């Protein structure tokens, strides 16, 4: 075995090692959360493509050909699996792959059919097309075989162009899903810092830049000539992206995970559904909550905050509040949105800020101590909420009122 560029080979091997280790860890966690399946599939699909330069050094020709052929369905599997992973992370109920989700795998299935047909081709044509890049070998084939080979090449080219469109579409869908998720979080949790998935947004932005370059290069490679890029830069970027996705993916739990068990133990008839962001009128049009019930729930909510001081619980969530006042969570959400005209997140933090104002005026506690004493998880979250509800920072408020 002769390695012409040892450092580049090491980068590629390191990427594969990260993928294999992370995918193994994710598969071991599937018993806890099914969401790890799509992420493991996404990493393994990336691994099949990342293995191409390594297979040229380590594997015999036959396995190199198989690696090349398997790269097409793997390419078409990356974006859908990342979409399913994001959907699972943001789901209000424990996610499992459904028949409805299976339609996202159709392009990869089409790629698999093309790959299976390509595997049945005589080895000399596989070698000439995929390894030695000698397309003239096709002219020696029979007429029927030439039609099949050219058909495969055209379909592969269409699939590669389709991957460009597919990736852009899923990128758009994931960003929209994350936007709605951030809104839905504030209907359920009073503290959202650990659930915002900002890492996924930044990763998508990075992947988007890399994708744009790769997509442009793939199109130019098939139509004109590819953009010349240092293989070291490409390998380094891929390693960083894979490492980031693996690291955060192994650390991240579903945003609504702590509500899964509360859904069955809190008030009867309450549900946590994956309803899309919509107007209150559309969202609650089938609700049986009447005005009198809403007023009673509103009174209970105010009592829970003023008398029971539930806002002091840093991990307060809608199901917890529902269990405390013995009311369905969807009725509480409707009451907050329609009767009190406020989201759960702002409702709780408003009371935290009111308590913090009293503490700032009548105590010598530090800003951080005040924030923690009224239920905030961090100083930054406290500053953001305080400024939103008062129009000034905690320090400025203390100077003004003392």
């Amino acid at each position: 075995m002769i390695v012409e560029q040892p450092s580049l080979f090491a980068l590629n091997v390191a990427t594969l090692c990260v993928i294999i280790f992370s995918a193994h860890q994710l598969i071991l966690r599937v018993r806890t959360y099914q969401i790890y399946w799509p992420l493991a599939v996404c990493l393994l699909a990336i691994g099949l493509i990342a293995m191409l330069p390594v297979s040229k050094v380590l594997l015999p020709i036959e396995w190199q050909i198989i690696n090349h052929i398997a790269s097409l369905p793997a390419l078409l599997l990356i974006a859908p699996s990342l979409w399913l992973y994001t959907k699972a992370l943001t789901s209000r109920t424990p996610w499992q792959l459904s028949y409805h989700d299976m339609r996202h795998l159709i392009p990869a299935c089409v790629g698999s059919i093309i790959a299976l047909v390509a595997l049945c081709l005589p080895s000399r044509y596989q070698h000439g097309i995929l390894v030695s890049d000698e397309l003239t070998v096709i002219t020696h084939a029979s007429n029927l075989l030439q039609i099949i080979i050219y058909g495969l090449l055209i379909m592969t080219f269409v699939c590669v162009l389709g991957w460009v469109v597919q990736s852009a579409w899923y990128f758009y869908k994931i960003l929209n899903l994350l936007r709605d998720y951030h809104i839905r979080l504030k209907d359920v949790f009073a503290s959202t810092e650990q659930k915002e998935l900002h890492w996924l947004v930044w990763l998508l932005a990075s992947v988007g830049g890399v994708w744009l370059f790769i997509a442009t290069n793939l199109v130019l490679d098939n139509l004109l000539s590819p953009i010349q890029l240092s293989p070291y830069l490409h390998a380094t970027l891929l390693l960083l992206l894979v490492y980031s996705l693996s690291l955060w993916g192994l650390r991240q739990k579903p945003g609504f995970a702590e509500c899964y068990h509360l859904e069955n133990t809190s008030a009867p008839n309450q549900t946590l559904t994956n309803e899309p962001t919509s107007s209150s009128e559309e969202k609650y049009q089938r609700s049986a909550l009447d005005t009198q019930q809403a007023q009673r729930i509103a009174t209970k909510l105010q009592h829970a905050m003023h008398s029971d001081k539930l806002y002091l619980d840093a991990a307060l969530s809608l199901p917890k509040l529902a269990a405390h006042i013995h009311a369905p969570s969807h009725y509480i959400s409707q009451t907050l949105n329609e009767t009190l005209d406020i989201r759960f997140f702002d409702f709780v933090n408003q009371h935290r800020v009111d308590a913090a104002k009293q503490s700032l005026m009548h105590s010598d506690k530090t800003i951080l101590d005040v924030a923690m004493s009224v239920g905030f998880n961090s100083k930054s979250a406290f500053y953001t909420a305080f400024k939103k509800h008062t129009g000034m920072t905690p320090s400025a408020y203390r100077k003004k009122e003392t």
Side-chain angles (χ1 to χ4, degrees), residues 97-118:
L97 185 68
S98 64
Y99 286 111
H100 182 71
D101 292 328
M102 295 293 286
R103 62 192 176 93
H104 296 284
L105 305 179
I106 292 176
C109 291
V110 173
S112 298
I113 293 172
I114 296 173
L116 287 173
V117 175

Side-chain angles (χ1 to χ4, degrees), residues 186-187 278-281 284 289 294-295 297-298 301-302 331-348 350-351 388-389:
K186 294 187 177 182
D187 285 330
S278 59
S279 66
S280 296
E281 185 177 347
Y284 303 116
L289 182 67
Q295 288 296 338
I297 291 176
L301 289 174
Q302 297 296 351
Y331 279 4
I332 295 175
S333 180
Q334 184 177 352
T335 300
L336 288 169
N337 282 278
E338 294 186 339
T339 304
L340 301 180
D341 193 27
I342 192 171
R343 287 190 177 276
F344 174 77
F345 178 84
D346 294 320
F347 175 70
V348 175
Q350 173 68 71
H351 287 85
K388 178 179 179 179
H389 290 286

Side-chain angles (χ1 to χ4, degrees), residues 114-323:
I114 296 173
L116 287 173
V117 175
L119 283 172
C120 296
L121 293 176
S123 58
R124 60 177 296 197
Y125 300 110
Q126 292 176 345
H127 185 277
I129 297 169
L130 298 173
V131 179
S132 60
D133 200 21
E134 296 176 357
L135 296 181
T136 54
V137 71
I138 302 176
T139 59
H140 300 103
S142 64
N143 290 335
L144 178 60
L145 193 54
Q146 285 187 35
I147 293 173
I148 294 174
I149 292 173
Y150 283 123
L152 290 175
L153 290 174
I154 291 171
M155 286 188 289
T156 300
F157 176 67
V158 171
C159 285
V160 171
L161 291 181
W163 170 78
V164 175
V165 177
Q166 179 201 50
S167 300
W169 172 243
Y170 279 111
F171 183 81
Y172 171 77
K173 284 174 66 71
I174 290 173
L175 289 180
N176 276 342
L177 182 62
L178 289 175
R179 181 200 62 192
D180 291 340
Y181 166 71
H182 292 156
I183 295 173
R184 287 188 284 117
L185 277 179
K186 294 187 177 182
D187 285 330
V188 181
F189 299 104
S191 300
T192 62
E193 294 86 356
Q194 304 302 318
K195 310 176 191 297
E196 291 284 353
L197 299 181
H198 289 310
W199 68 269
L200 189 54
V201 176
W202 284 107
L203 187 66
L204 281 173
S206 302
V207 170
V210 175
W211 164 84
L212 185 61
F213 177 83
I214 293 175
T216 304
N217 212 29
L218 275 174
V219 174
L220 292 177
D221 189 22
N222 285 276
L223 296 178
L224 300 171
S225 59
I227 301 170
Q228 297 302 320
L229 179 69
S230 169
Y232 291 95
L233 178 60
H234 179 271
T236 302
L237 286 175
L238 183 60
L239 175 58
L240 290 175
L241 289 176
V242 166
Y243 177 78
S244 300
L245 182 60
S246 302
L247 175 65
W248 286 101
L250 287 167
R251 295 174 58 184
Q252 187 68 58
K253 291 182 179 179
F256 295 97
E258 62 193 72
C259 296
Y260 293 168
H261 69 284
L262 291 174
E263 184 179 356
N264 298 320
T265 58
S266 48
N269 301 321
Q270 76 172 44
T271 57
L272 288 171
T273 58
N274 288 306
E275 52 195 15
T277 304
S278 59
S279 66
S280 296
E281 185 177 347
E282 294 175 346
K283 189 176 179 180
Y284 303 116
Q285 60 183 350
R286 296 183 181 179
S287 174
L289 182 67
D290 57 35
T291 304
Q292 290 184 341
Q293 285 179 301
Q295 288 296 338
R296 286 197 295 270
I297 291 176
T299 301
K300 288 182 178 180
L301 289 174
Q302 297 296 351
H303 184 272
M305 292 297 126
H306 291 292
S307 301
D308 300 337
K309 300 186 184 301
L310 235 61
Y311 60 83
L312 296 177
D313 181 2
L316 182 62
S317 63
L318 184 64
K320 279 188 178 181
L321 180 57

